[in-house]
């Protein structure tokens, strides 16, 4: 049995994510020039709330997973480092585009649409939490976790699709511009979604080739992201 106590790696992971969200919030407000921009407050506040819920639940039931996600691993797949570097560059552009759009009033998404977008984060983050609970090997980067006796997860949402958190991430990216009320932010958000579709394909190919039992799992759970489609 692995150590079931949150250690410095898990704590560092939590702190770093909240620092990141705080910086993102400041960038949105500074670039928009509107420190009362309710969409930005709802956006980052909502994400902080959901992240907090996930961390609290996981600290209770499986803190070791948070500890592992806080570590730097040397056997991360090179393709994933390149993909996530590209993703990071695109992501940086999102608050810039959103802030400029809001400052200049270029596009206009209604408050009702923004509220609907906020409501849709409930199933998105619920799916992420569900995945955290059932998959003990759900780490942040793609690698074969030999030292942790990496096993295929076939429970929960994995009975329906092979990459449920990537589906949640892609839907979450598409929701971002609607929550922020800036249509032009949809451009970087769609690019982020495309990057994660590519990441899904590359990770799936890697797991089929290298993780014992995954090929059989892929034959049983046929779809990567969308049941009946792909």
């Amino acid at each position: 049995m692995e150590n079931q106590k949150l250690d410095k790696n898990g704590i560092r992971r939590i702190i770093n994510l909240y620092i990141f969200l705080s910086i993102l919030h400041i960038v949105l407000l500074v670039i928009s020039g509107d420190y009362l921009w309710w969409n930005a407050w709802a956006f980052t506040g909502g994400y902080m709330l959901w992240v907090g819920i996930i961390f609290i639940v996981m600290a209770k039931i499986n803190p070791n997973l948070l500890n592992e996600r806080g570590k730097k691993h040397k056997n991360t797949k090179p393709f994933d480092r390149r993909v996530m570097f590209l993703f990071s560059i695109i992501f940086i552009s999102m608050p810039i585009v959103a802030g400029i759009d809001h400052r200049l009033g270029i596009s206009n998404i209604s408050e009702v649409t923004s509220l609907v977008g906020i409501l849709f984060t409930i199933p998105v983050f619920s799916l992420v939490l569900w995945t955290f609970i059932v998959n003990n090997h759900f780490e942040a980067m793609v690698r074969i976790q030999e030292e942790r006796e990496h096993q295929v997860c076939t429970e929960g949402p994995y009975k329906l699709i092979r990459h449920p958190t990537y589906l949640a991430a892609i839907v979450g990216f598409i929701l971002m511009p609607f929550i922020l009320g800036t249509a032009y932010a949809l451009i970087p958000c769609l690019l982020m979604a495309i990057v994660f579709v590519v990441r899904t394909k590359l990770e799936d190919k890697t797991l089929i080739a290298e993780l014992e039992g995954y090929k059989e799992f892929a034959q049983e759970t046929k779809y990567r992201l969308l049941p009946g489609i792909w």
Side-chain angles (χ1 to χ4, degrees):
M1 176 67 70
E2 297 181 83
N3 179 35
Q4 292 295 300
K5 184 178 179 180
L6 199 64
D7 64 19
K8 63 180 182 180
N9 295 303
I11 294 172
R12 181 172 59 243
R13 175 74 177 179
I14 296 171
I15 292 174
N16 286 345
L17 188 49
Y18 271 99
I19 290 174
F20 167 77
L21 289 171
S22 298
I23 293 173
L24 175 62
H25 183 65
I26 292 170
V27 171
L28 283 167
L29 296 183
V30 170
I31 292 180
S32 69
D34 182 2
Y35 295 93
L36 298 178
W37 184 14
W38 79 266
N39 302 78
W41 286 95
F43 176 77
T44 50
Y47 274 75
M48 286 183 176
L49 174 62
W50 273 109
V51 166
I53 292 172
I54 291 172
F55 281 143
I56 290 171
V57 172
M58 295 309 298
K60 291 286 187 180
I61 67 174
N62 191 3
N64 193 66
L65 181 57
L66 296 181
N67 299 337
E68 289 297 323
R69 289 177 68 88
K71 295 178 182 178
K72 292 183 178 180
H73 299 281
K74 295 182 179 180
N75 63 334
T76 297
K77 294 300 179 183
F79 80 81
D80 202 40
R81 290 196 293 267
R82 292 192 292 268
V83 167
M84 291 310 292
F85 177 74
L86 174 61
F87 171 82
S88 299
I89 293 174
I90 299 171
F91 188 91
I92 290 171
S93 70
M94 187 277 292
I96 297 174
V97 173
I100 293 174
D101 188 1
H102 181 73
R103 176 185 284 268
L104 300 179
I106 301 173
S107 64
N108 183 26
I109 292 179
S110 70
E111 291 189 0
V112 173
T113 302
S114 295
L115 291 172
V116 171
I118 292 170
L119 288 176
F120 268 100
T121 63
I122 297 175
V124 168
F125 279 99
S126 297
L127 178 57
V128 173
L129 178 57
W130 191 12
T131 305
F132 263 98
I133 291 172
V134 301
N135 188 356
N136 189 48
H137 294 93
F138 175 42
E139 292 192 9
M141 299 292 288
V142 178
R143 72 185 189 94
I144 304 301
Q145 305 164 39
E146 296 177 354
E147 79 286 357
R148 300 184 64 220
E149 299 181 353
H150 198 166
Q151 297 179 351
V152 180
C153 180
T154 59
E155 301 299 319
Y158 291 93
K159 293 180 180 180
L160 302 175
I161 54 176
R162 304 204 293 265
H163 300 275
T165 48
Y166 286 178
L167 173 61
I170 290 168
V171 174
F173 299 149
I174 295 172
L175 288 176
M176 286 180 179
F178 296 101
I179 296 172
L180 288 168
T182 63
Y184 278 92
L186 188 61
I187 297 171
C189 289
L190 285 176
L191 291 176
M192 289 191 291
I194 291 171
V195 169
F196 259 65
V197 171
V198 173
R199 190 188 192 198
T200 300
K201 184 175 182 179
L202 293 174
E203 178 174 339
D204 203 64
K205 182 179 179 181
T206 298
L207 294 176
I208 288 174
E210 300 184 27
L211 182 58
E212 182 179 355
Y214 192 87
K215 185 175 182 180
E216 293 74 16
F217 166 65
Q219 294 171 345
E220 183 70 22
T221 302
K222 298 182 181 299
Y223 301 103
R224 299 176 182 90
L225 289 176
L226 293 175
I229 299 178
W230 187 66

